[in-house]
Amino acid sequence: MFEYAPAPESRSVVDLKPSYGLFIDGEFTEGSGGAFKSVNPATEEVLAEVAMADAADVDRAVAAARRAYDQVWSKMPGAERAKYIFRIARIIQERARELAVLESLDNGKPIRESRDVDIPLAAAHFFYYAGWADKLGYANLGPNPQPLGVAGQVIPWNFPLLMLAWKVAPALACGNTVVLKPAETTPLTALLFAEICQQADLPPGVVNIVTGAGATGAAVVSHPGVDKVAFTGSTEVGRMIAKQVAGTSKKVTLELGGKAANLVFDDAPLEQAIEGIVDGIFFNQGHVCCAGSRLLVQESVAEEVVDRLRERMKTLRVGDPLDKNTDIGAINSAEQLARIRTLTEAGEAEGAKRWSPPCELPERGFFFAPTIFTGVSQAHRIAREEIFGPVLSVLTFRTPAEAVEKANNTAYGLSAGVWTDKGSRILWLAQRMRAGVVWANTFNRFDPTSPFGGYKESGYGREGGRHGLEAYLDV
Amino acid sequence: MSETKKKAAKAVKPAKAAPATAAAKTAKTAESAKAAKAVSATVAAEAAPAVEAAATAPAAPIASTSSRSSVRKTYKLYIGGAFPRSESGRSYAVTASTGEFIANAAQASRKDARDAVRAARAAQPGWAKATAYNRGQILYRIAEMLEERRDQFAQQIAGVEGITTDAAYAQVDATVDRWVWYAGWSDKLAQVLSAANPVAGPYWNISSPEPTGVVALLAPATPTLLGLTSVIAPAIVGGNAVVAVAPDASALPAVTLGEVMATSDLPGGVVNILTGGTAELAPWLASHLDVNALDLAGVPAGSDLARDLEIAAAENLKRVVRPTAGQDWTTDPGLSRMKPFLETKTVWHPIGI
């Protein structure tokens, strides 16, 4: 691979404070549960200290959200609510550079992705849902849609601002108020979003942000004042939440793990398929719940596909997330890196063949080279468990029926990919995939107008589109 | 029919706890006797207001005075299109609201529940693949077959629920109407719930509903027939297969509904009906990893059982419909019981030349 000169994005656009408080009732306040540090995973540098919200803080946040709901937000005409949400969308666009840099600093994702995917999509979600605020009666969900009340939202670290947008935008459009807990490793863009709410003059209490770890999230989910719970994260935690809310009247949506199959047929346009495979698993370091982590290739082209894939992988640049040339940034945390290592070691131990392109990883920070496993069987852990890293398992199939059988042989059902030139086969497969999103001849596409969510143990409910409104309405 | 049975039962009242008599013939014998009456009953129902027809046509209370003993019906489970007894060999006595013995019903076991789930799983893909037109026709056929047995159901319902014959007929009619209503949904659900999404890019993208798979339904105890229909019909119209638990006295109309289904071109296994105790069967269905969704209609809202079942269902993230306190089964159900058992699939494809 020929060398590129480094092209680092300047971080001067971000004004990091040494410490951040909680955002409750329109103001930043101290937390009473101590503090934790948010680390740049690419350098292990401490970026800031962030307040840890305890149960009392969550209490305050829910109370503020309830007041704002009762007194202001649920009473406000939809057309007025819309204008605040449009304002937020605009401010995200105006401060896009700052948000992208901060996202890459805190999360470790390449600036190319935070700049071109995360931030624009986050703004697009606010734009899309802003327009729904005064048109809920036209959403075809029921004759008299009403908001639910206070939404408790817990989001993951893989797309910090985008997941916030997926949750906050529809909640506000429908007239709910929110208490949101960002992930403990990536709280910073959510706190910058709090400033954006202030700039937009959003009434105090409509959006509250409580930072912390698992205990804070549990306090939000189980708080009796919370009417709706929305969670994106692991299936394990999703299961705990489903148990926590059992017997209550809380409405719940869960976006959980995945182990998507990406099917390549012998008539597929291979150049495009290779790009799709790379995008499917190496986008965002593979920290994507809908990542195409199981590649199923028709036997007759398996060798060629794997050879081409190896060639393509040799051109992936791993390293500094702030470098505009970087394709694969840092793994989000030491803990996640350890998990990826454990699972890849299990892959080797169980007999699969591991390969990574020659690449030098930075000495500091959490990095993992893009990796593929061949000779994988359906029983291997690397074919069954979500790795959530840049690790692809390659399996083969002979007939379309076998492809469907293997693709659906998982407890998950979030996404699937199909690569073939034959339209009728695409439709045949799309019908048979037990997955909430099927990408045919493309992969990892997202859009605010487009419902996203899982079958089976990938969770329930949909986010995005007209369907995404339902989670926040009593219909 | 059940009126005569009741009279007969009165005569042998001391034998209240008698086991299901082995001498009883299969349902078919009773049915063919019924069939002769059916034509005139249907004509009457169409010609005159239904309730009046019912009130003026009581079953002849002659069994106890006739020299002929009636052939009583053995109530069995409905699993995979067949009518087996419970593998456990258990049955329980169904009594009228006044306390008199009506019949023994099969008391389903954990194994029966597992068999029913297996039958539902086997039947589900074929049912989902059937055209919406075909599924609608079959649901409408269920309504037709039910209509034909108005008298039988009304008498059974009046007996087990202790309501007036008029009220029982009204429930049967509401049930028939509900099957017809849901039949019409089969080919409209996708239109109402789908979306063509205007994504910002050169992609074709459409979202449409699909069945979630196997649904376990805990039917309410009353109204017996309308309650059971109100949970089964919305689940199957979208292509799911179901295992329904009909508790207590609702067993009798439930088994008879099974007979209606068995003669309605509904593929065996799409609907499976277990009779017996909800509290005994529900935990096995709630924790069964091959069940995709759970309707808690027949469990008291706010009860510990409801909470425990929801916790068990969380293990494989079943879609759960929670019970509603004071649910009125006679009102328009809307989409409330169809949507929870439908997934939304979004398919993307690039646009280009």
Side-chain angles (χ1 to χ4, degrees):
Chain A
M1 183 166 69
F2 55 90
E3 289 303 312
Y4 276 7
E9 175 67 72
S10 166
R11 57 185 282 182
S12 65
V13 65
V14 171
D15 179 23
L16 268 172
K17 299 188 184 87
S19 73
Y20 288 87
L22 311 171
F23 184 64
I24 295 174
D25 211 10
E27 289 175 359
F28 285 95
T29 75
E30 302 274 308
S32 43
F36 62 101
K37 293 176 171 61
S38 196
V39 170
N40 177 347
T43 60
E44 300 179 51
E45 158 206 9
V46 173
L47 293 169
E49 277 216 336
V50 179
M52 177 84 80
D54 67 5
D57 297 323
V58 171
D59 238 16
R60 279 196 296 142
V62 173
R66 174 64 57 192
R67 267 197 311 279
Y69 175 78
D70 287 340
Q71 293 169 13
V72 185
W73 199 246
S74 69
K75 289 190 175 149
M76 190 184 284
E80 297 303 307
R81 283 204 309 270
K83 285 188 254 178
Y84 285 102
I85 305 169
F86 276 125
R87 275 188 202 170
I88 290 172
R90 281 297 199 213
I91 299 174
I92 290 174
Q93 291 176 325
E94 286 157 12
R95 300 180 70 171
R97 172 77 70 93
E98 182 186 0
L99 283 162
V101 173
L102 184 57
E103 197 77 307
S104 284
L105 281 175
D106 204 19
N107 169 282
K109 66 174 67 205
I111 186 76
R112 188 168 62 80
E113 289 175 5
S114 52
R115 181 195 63 199
D116 297 349
V117 181
D118 292 58
I119 310 305
L121 263 181
H125 273 80
F126 279 99
F127 252 100
Y128 174 74
Y129 279 111
W132 269 123
D134 55 356
K135 303 170 191 68
L136 298 172
Y138 296 92
N140 200 18
L141 298 169
N144 183 26
Q146 294 298 317
L148 297 168
V150 175
Q153 310 180 316
V154 178
I155 57 171
W157 46 258
N158 58 342
F159 293 93
L161 188 74
L162 182 58
M163 290 299 107
L164 175 148
W166 281 28
K167 300 271 184 294
V168 173
L172 297 194
C174 294
N176 304 277
T177 56
V178 307
V179 175
L180 176 119
K181 190 204 84 78
E184 67 265 36
T185 60
T186 56
L188 298 182
T189 42
L191 294 167
L192 185 50
F193 178 77
E195 281 181 31
I196 290 172
C197 292
Q198 287 179 326
Q199 282 192 336
D201 275 334
L202 192 70
V206 172
V207 168
N208 303 275
I209 292 168
V210 289
T211 42
T216 309
V220 170
V221 166
S222 59
H223 196 288
V226 164
D227 304 295
K228 193 256 154 23
V229 171
F231 172 75
T232 295
S234 72
T235 290
E236 190 190 343
V237 176
R239 204 174 270 139
M240 275 165 47
I241 290 173
K243 288 177 184 175
Q244 263 178 341
V245 301
T248 70
S249 58
K250 290 184 171 119
K251 204 167 165 177
V252 188
T253 42
L254 302 171
E255 298 292 350
L256 309 177
K259 193 73 193 175
N262 201 357
L263 271 53
V264 180
F265 282 82
D266 56 10
D267 66 342
L270 287 191
E271 285 297 324
Q272 291 161 38
I274 296 298
E275 287 309 304
I277 294 163
V278 167
D279 189 42
I281 186 61
F282 300 123
F283 174 61
N284 204 37
Q285 296 73 244
H287 300 331
V288 186
C289 48
C290 51
S293 55
R294 286 183 299 149
L295 177 65
L296 284 162
V297 196
Q298 196 154 25
E299 219 170 74
S300 49
V301 290
E303 209 171 312
E304 187 186 354
V305 166
V306 172
D307 284 348
R308 284 190 188 219
L309 183 59
R310 286 199 180 110
E311 286 308 306
R312 176 66 177 85
M313 283 170 68
K314 286 177 191 165
T315 67
L316 292 172
R317 290 161 201 274
V318 185
D320 180 6
L322 284 190
D323 190 322
K324 292 167 197 157
N325 298 322
T326 294
D327 297 305
I328 298 180
I331 300 302
N332 183 250
S333 64
E335 190 193 355
Q336 184 57 27
L337 183 58
R339 179 174 161 75
I340 296 168
R341 284 185 176 147
T342 303
L343 278 162
T344 46
E345 280 158 20
E348 279 182 295
E350 289 178 7
K353 197 164 166 245
R354 174 178 185 159
W355 183 86
S356 290
C359 70
E360 228 171 275
L361 300 181
E363 276 173 27
R364 285 184 68 78
F366 317 126
F367 288 90
F368 195 89
T371 299
I372 57 169
F373 278 97
T374 48
V376 179
S377 93
Q378 294 185 80
H380 286 165
R381 280 183 73 188
I382 51 169
R384 306 209 68 80
E385 294 179 34
E386 188 177 36
I387 299 174
F388 226 64
V391 181
L392 180 67
S393 299
V394 184
L395 299 93
T396 60
F397 67 88
R398 288 184 182 177
T399 63
E402 187 190 349
V404 170
E405 187 86 21
K406 284 185 169 171
N408 287 337
N409 180 18
T410 169
Y412 296 113
L414 188 51
S415 64
V418 180
W419 298 85
T420 169
D421 231 8
K422 200 172 169 189
S424 57
R425 184 186 282 154
I426 288 171
L427 297 177
W428 186 90
L429 282 158
Q431 275 182 344
R432 280 159 184 77
M433 293 295 187
R434 300 286 296 155
V437 184
V438 178
W439 287 293
N441 292 330
T442 184
F443 210 94
N444 270 347
R445 298 287 153 202
F446 308 96
D447 192 274
T449 66
S450 191
F452 179 94
Y455 284 38
K456 298 197 279 185
E457 293 183 29
S458 288
Y460 35 74
R462 293 293 178 271
E463 289 179 303
R466 186 168 67 75
H467 294 69
L469 291 169
E470 194 177 355
Y472 291 95
L473 289 173
D474 185 12
V475 283
Chain B
M1 173 55 63
S2 82
E3 199 70 11
T4 49
K5 229 178 274 156
K6 245 167 36 184
K7 298 288 179 189
K10 239 180 203 170
V12 291
K13 203 170 180 186
K16 186 170 177 182
T21 164
K25 292 252 175 108
T26 58
K28 272 193 176 162
T29 320
E31 266 167 44
S32 52
K34 191 69 220 152
K37 271 193 197 167
V39 178
S40 62
T42 310
V43 170
E46 278 168 11
V51 177
E52 273 176 43
T56 56
I62 52 162
S64 58
T65 57
S66 138
S67 58
R68 183 179 175 277
S69 303
S70 66
V71 175
R72 296 209 222 152
K73 175 170 162 184
T74 298
Y75 287 86
K76 303 194 207 172
L77 307 175
Y78 181 47
I79 298 176
F83 293 90
R85 289 190 171 82
S86 170
E87 63 79 37
S88 66
R90 299 179 304 172
S91 64
Y92 65 99
V94 175
T95 53
S97 53
T98 51
E100 56 192 282
F101 172 81
I102 300 178
N104 291 302
Q107 190 175 345
S109 67
R110 173 189 183 181
K111 175 71 161 62
D112 293 321
R114 287 167 51 190
D115 289 348
V117 171
R118 191 178 303 141
R121 177 59 69 197
Q124 197 269 332
W127 178 240
K129 215 165 26 176
T131 62
Y133 181 40
N134 186 216
R135 286 202 305 270
Q137 296 245 304
I138 291 173
L139 260 68
Y140 185 74
R141 178 79 172 153
I142 292 172
E144 287 179 348
M145 301 305 260
L146 226 159
E147 175 85 35
E148 194 177 54
R149 295 182 181 221
R150 280 179 84 245
D151 297 343
Q152 181 189 6
F153 275 106
Q155 287 171 18
Q156 223 167 38
I157 291 168
V160 296
E161 288 191 44
I163 56 176
T164 64
T165 315
D166 283 0
Y169 270 101
Q171 188 186 140
V172 178
D173 293 345
T175 303
V176 171
D177 292 354
R178 186 137 301 172
W179 280 107
V180 172
W181 191 73
Y182 276 117
W185 267 114
S186 71
D187 51 6
K188 292 159 197 75
L189 273 175
Q191 292 182 311
V192 170
L193 300 179
S194 287
N197 310 305
V199 297
Y203 296 94
W204 173 90
N205 168 317
I206 196 154
S207 301
S208 47
E210 286 193 350
T212 198
V214 171
V215 183
L217 310 165
L218 309 176
T222 56
T224 50
L225 183 64
L226 181 61
L228 184 61
T229 290
S230 299
V231 294
I232 292 178
I236 65 171
V237 67
N240 295 291
V242 306
V243 175
V245 177
D248 313 328
S250 70
L252 305 196
V255 175
T256 312
L257 182 63
E259 291 164 14
V260 163
M261 287 168 170
T263 53
S264 299
D265 301 324
L266 187 73
V270 172
V271 172
N272 302 275
I273 299 174
L274 303 173
T275 54
T278 297
E280 182 190 345
L281 295 171
W284 302 118
L285 290 168
S287 63
H288 197 302
L289 294 184
D290 206 24
V291 171
N292 303 93
L294 184 64
D295 186 336
L296 298 177
V299 176
S303 65
D304 286 351
L305 179 61
R307 193 199 57 223
D308 292 348
L309 292 174
E310 209 181 321
I311 290 172
E315 205 49 47
N316 68 335
L317 296 154
K318 288 181 184 66
R319 287 74 176 119
V320 178
V321 174
R322 292 174 173 142
T324 310
Q327 171 89 51
D328 179 357
W329 294 100
T330 62
T331 56
D332 177 358
L335 297 168
S336 65
R337 288 197 129 74
M338 290 188 281
K339 267 202 278 191
F341 307 130
L342 296 170
E343 303 289 346
T344 300
K345 178 185 279 177
T346 302
V347 179
W348 291 67
H349 193 282
I351 293 171
I353 51 168

